[in-house]
Amino acid sequence: MRTESSPGTLPAREHLPAAGAGTPVLDVVIPVHNEEKDLGPCVRRLHEHLRRTFPYAFRVTIADNASTDGTPHVAGELAERIAEVRAVRLEQKGRGRALRTVWAASDAPVLAYMDVDLSTDLNALLPLVAPLISGHSDLAIGSRLNRGARVVRGAKREFISRAYNLILRGSLRARFSDAQCGFKAIRRDVARVLLPLVEDGGWFFDTELLVLAERAGLRIHEVPVDWVDDPGSSVHIVRTATDDLKGVWRVGRALATGSLPLDRLARPFGDDPRDRDIEDVPQGLARQLLGFCVVGALSTLFYLLLYSGFRAFTGSQTANGLALLVSAVANTAANRRLTFGVRGRAGAVRHQAQGLVVFGIGLALTSGSLAALNTASSDPAHSTELAVLVAANLAATVLRFLLFRAWVFPDGAPAPTAPAPAAPPRAGSAPAARTAPADHDPRDDR
């Protein structure tokens, strides 16, 4: 994680002045990689929409990151034919790298980007950038999980999106609702300070930018969007999810260990002290994640051995249920002691009962996966069953950790060593003053 200090202090937010002749107020970047078929229709549709509805000068920038098909040729033709369009070529792949390069060089005071498939309804573009132009907000994001959003997409993408944002809330204490929607904007003066601190150059770029901005006290405006899934999307979901989880681990470790200078970031940013009232990453998170991963890996191996043994004399669903039940009891006991540092027998029965509820979630995921597999194939191979179960257990593992930390063992982190108990008060002495709990927020008394 980069730790260099900010290159200056941001002034209080103000309404952007009218731009001079020829200077765009808004620069919309479209990062593309091998999108020769969709690029032309996307740019022409976006340009026409901006020409009809946007009251300021604008620019559309095509950021081609290492395309190997005809995308550079299409981008060049669009730039020649449309005055407000320009094309930038990068020889390295990566959406975050493309955005950082174009945003850092842009002269527009408001910078935005959107995906080339235009899954987001363009009518949300003006509401997205208006708070930045007016000086109300520093960043703006489109949200598919906001109450007013209207979304059409498959169950798999819906589950992945909500699970990912749940991970961000549980691990990094994020308060924004949708990190992955390809529809965001930022003020240039803010980007100038934040971009040098963002390390990722791929799909995690958005999340890292938002987490650092939120920790710095910047105001993030959310716009509910109408969003329709593109079934032809070239995004590799598994690889992207893996890279995102690695990014969460990296950023969370940096915040937990204090290697990111949050205090120095908080002073130059944000003109409202309440914007900076965000709890830090919980202490011991890195150690708990490591312990949970070790216990989870051993539990998965134990579960697979049990499943293979039970499967020899019973059906797949029964074998799955029995293996999950036995391994869940062992998993809860191991996490109770090794991951969350809970000693003694106090609360053990309650913890096991709550662990069985978490086990029910895992059973639903794995049983549903097996049912889907048996529907697709009447006689699936044993190796295929194991592969499906491993994938389902990985999804259940993420939810299991969040539930363990927030519900089963909310106070399980080892407490600091308590000082020696004070001597009992003498007769007639005044009672000790009551102190507020450490996590008490004085704003709750208002």
Side-chain angles (χ1 to χ4, degrees):
M1 174 64 64
R2 302 177 183 183
T3 59
E4 57 262 37
S5 60
S6 307
T9 301
L10 288 175
R13 291 185 292 260
E14 295 181 353
H15 195 295
L16 292 175
T23 302
V25 170
L26 173 66
D27 192 350
V28 183
V29 181
I30 304 176
V32 291
H33 175 75
N34 292 343
E35 300 284 358
E36 60 179 352
K37 293 182 179 180
D38 295 334
L39 181 58
C42 163
V43 171
R44 285 189 287 269
R45 179 182 165 195
L46 173 60
H47 176 266
E48 175 62 19
H49 177 83
L50 288 170
R51 188 186 63 79
R52 289 187 299 104
T53 64
F54 194 67
Y56 301 94
F58 64 88
R59 178 194 298 133
V60 177
T61 300
I62 304 168
D64 171 27
N65 51 106
S67 292
T68 56
D69 61 357
T71 297
H73 177 70
V74 175
E77 286 189 340
L78 290 168
E80 289 179 3
R81 296 178 181 179
I82 306 176
E84 292 85 2
V85 175
R86 68 166 179 163
V88 176
R89 167 74 177 181
L90 290 87
E91 298 302 329
Q92 288 182 293
K93 185 179 178 182
R95 182 181 70 173
R97 183 177 292 108
L99 291 175
R100 180 189 292 112
T101 301
V102 176
W103 280 355
S106 180
D107 58 349
V110 176
L111 311 168
Y113 96 88
M114 62 181 59
D115 292 334
V116 69
D117 56 15
L118 294 185
S119 295
T120 305
D121 182 23
L122 291 178
N123 287 327
L125 182 56
L126 184 55
L128 182 80
V129 301
L132 308 187
I133 295 175
S134 70
H136 175 271
S137 301
D138 301 292
L139 296 90
I141 64 174
S143 174
R144 299 162 297 184
L145 304 179
N146 195 287
R147 180 173 297 179
R150 297 179 179 179
V151 178
V152 178
R153 62 175 166 181
K156 180 174 69 174
R157 285 181 176 269
E158 179 76 11
F159 172 78
I160 292 174
S161 179
R162 291 189 178 276
Y164 179 64
N165 284 282
L166 179 62
I167 292 171
L168 294 181
R169 288 177 177 272
S171 59
L172 300 180
R173 302 286 175 90
R175 297 188 298 187
F176 48 85
S177 66
D178 191 350
Q180 296 174 309
C181 183
F183 194 70
K184 296 181 175 68
I186 185 173
R187 287 175 62 110
R188 185 185 62 183
D189 54 353
V190 175
R192 178 181 61 87
V193 181
L194 270 182
L195 289 179
L197 303 177
V198 180
E199 185 172 324
D200 190 80
W203 293 98
F204 188 69
F205 172 88
D206 301 52
T207 300
E208 188 170 355
L209 183 76
L210 291 174
V211 169
L212 297 185
E214 191 171 69
R215 292 304 178 120
L218 296 176
R219 178 174 290 144
I220 301 175
H221 180 74
E222 296 196 11
V223 178
V225 298
D226 296 346
W227 195 86
V228 179
D229 188 19
D230 177 18
S233 175
S234 59
V235 178
H236 193 290
I237 296 178
V238 176
R239 183 169 64 244
T240 301
T242 302
D243 292 341
D244 285 348
L245 292 176
K246 291 179 181 178
V248 170
W249 170 267
R250 174 174 55 80
V251 173
R253 182 178 57 185
L255 293 173
T257 58
S259 61
L260 189 67
L262 293 179
D263 291 340
R264 283 183 289 167
L265 283 172
R267 281 193 291 272
F269 291 103
D271 48 10
D272 186 345
R274 291 173 299 178
D275 291 343
R276 298 190 293 269
D277 189 19
I278 304 175
E279 297 181 11
D280 199 358
V281 171
Q283 294 297 319
L285 177 62
R287 182 194 61 77
Q288 288 182 356
L289 281 172
L290 179 60
F292 184 80
C293 289
V294 172
V295 172
L298 295 176
S299 296
T300 300
L301 179 61
F302 183 48
Y303 160 79
L304 292 174
L305 292 174
L306 288 173
Y307 177 81
S308 297
F310 290 138
R311 188 67 175 86
F313 57 85
T314 188
S316 60
Q317 293 286 10
T318 303
N320 174 59
L322 291 173
L324 269 179
L325 179 60
V326 176
S327 61
V329 173
N331 180 274
T332 300
N335 276 307
R336 182 177 186 270
R337 180 175 180 83
L338 302 178
T339 302
F340 298 98
V342 179
R343 301 290 191 270
R345 297 181 179 182
V349 175
R350 175 174 57 85
H351 292 155
Q352 282 293 349
Q354 292 172 312
L356 289 178
V357 174
V358 179
F359 149 77
I361 297 176
L363 178 62
L365 285 173
T366 53
S367 297
S369 301
L370 283 176
L373 176 63
N374 291 328
T375 301
S377 175
S378 58
D379 188 22
H382 183 63
S383 58
T384 304
E385 285 185 348
L386 291 180
V388 169
L389 289 171
V390 168
N393 269 285
L394 287 176
T397 297
V398 174
L399 295 177
R400 187 182 303 124
F401 176 76
L402 296 176
L403 289 172
F404 271 175
R405 183 176 178 84
W407 181 48
V408 183
F409 307 110
D411 302 317
T417 303
R426 298 175 183 176
S429 61
R434 295 180 59 187
T435 58
D439 59 351
H440 176 71
D441 189 341
R443 293 177 298 169
D444 295 338
D445 299 329
R446 289 185 289 182

